[in-house]
Amino acid sequence: MEEILSEYLFPFLTKNSTVAEIGVGGARIAAKVVENVEKLYCFDVAPAMLDKAKERIGHYPQVEFHLMQNSEFEAGLSERFDFIYSFDVFVHFDLPTIWKYLNSIYKILKEGGRAFIHTSSITTPNGWTRFCSKADSEQLYYPTSPEAIKWLIEKAQMTVIKESIPDGNNFYLGRDYLVVIQK
């Protein structure tokens, strides 16, 4: 995970950045980000996860917590963010849900703003193995491909600026697709 964050997340953050995390969960990533940005908005669809995140990083004055519904951000956040990220969340989304989120991300990113998303991929060796695994078919995992994700990114009026290459030496790079996009 540290390798992923150092390559796909931290190079795009500054002390002046207004940043959002989609799917903050227990703030595993947010705890590493919060001291490196001016403002951090933590979004999740589960109130219990927001409570866990508040326990971990709620004492920082630059953090806000927001409940999401229906892949939509609340009104008033248009073009607010320099950077948005979601790690280990979009692997649980089907393509229509990813499409909704990409359109929502477009609305809240500043012009020139960037986002990092992490999806599944059946085109990597470990992604294919996961796809074929009966044990994983019962979990909330939705297979997709870099080609499908890039198509959705293009249709959402954004551009790929960095994407992963399968690498069996890293758990995530050997199984998934990681991409940084720009509005």
Side-chain angles (χ1 to χ4, degrees):
M1 180 182 72
E2 296 302 326
E3 179 184 348
I4 299 301
L5 299 180
S6 68
E7 193 172 330
Y8 292 89
L9 179 65
F10 292 123
F12 303 100
L13 303 179
T14 70
K15 290 283 188 183
N16 298 322
S17 296
T18 299
V19 176
E21 179 173 0
I22 300 170
V24 70
R28 172 178 68 145
I29 308 299
K32 298 175 183 298
V33 169
V34 66
E35 292 182 358
N36 298 302
V37 299
E38 184 173 334
K39 187 81 173 168
L40 177 62
Y41 289 70
C42 299
F43 294 94
D44 210 296
V45 297
M49 290 291 97
L50 287 173
D51 290 341
K52 285 186 179 198
K54 286 176 190 174
E55 287 175 20
R56 187 160 186 191
I57 61 168
H59 61 281
Y60 288 97
Q62 70 269 37
V63 180
E64 288 187 22
F65 300 90
H66 297 267
L67 184 65
M68 286 192 77
Q69 296 179 359
N70 302 321
S71 313
E72 294 283 329
F73 298 95
E74 57 204 63
L77 296 178
S78 294
E79 299 185 357
R80 172 145 327 166
F81 297 96
D82 300 298
F83 194 78
I84 300 168
Y85 68 94
S86 187
F87 182 73
D88 223 9
V89 175
F90 282 39
V91 295
H92 304 291
F93 295 165
D94 60 14
L95 285 175
T97 303
I98 292 171
W99 170 243
K100 289 176 189 174
Y101 271 97
L102 286 172
N103 282 290
S104 293
I105 287 169
Y106 179 85
K107 290 176 189 173
I108 67 170
L109 269 179
K110 292 178 181 176
E111 193 63 40
R114 297 174 176 166
F116 163 51
I117 62 170
H118 166 213
T119 69
S120 65
S121 175
I122 63 169
T123 64
T124 61
N126 294 340
W128 181 250
T129 300
R130 184 179 192 184
F131 175 73
C132 294
S133 168
K134 279 189 164 192
D136 212 25
S137 66
E138 297 172 8
Q139 296 179 13
L140 291 177
Y141 160 77
Y142 289 95
T144 187
S145 69
E147 294 76 18
I149 298 303
K150 288 190 276 191
W151 179 258
L152 294 179
I153 289 166
E154 179 185 328
K155 294 301 179 186
Q157 303 175 62
M158 292 182 279
T159 305
V160 171
I161 61 168
K162 180 178 182 64
E163 63 183 323
S164 62
I165 298 169
D167 179 353
N169 294 318
N170 180 288
F171 174 78
Y172 297 104
L173 295 175
R175 187 192 70 183
D176 300 327
Y177 178 63
L178 297 94
V179 62
V180 178
I181 58 179
Q182 185 168 355
K183 177 177 177 179

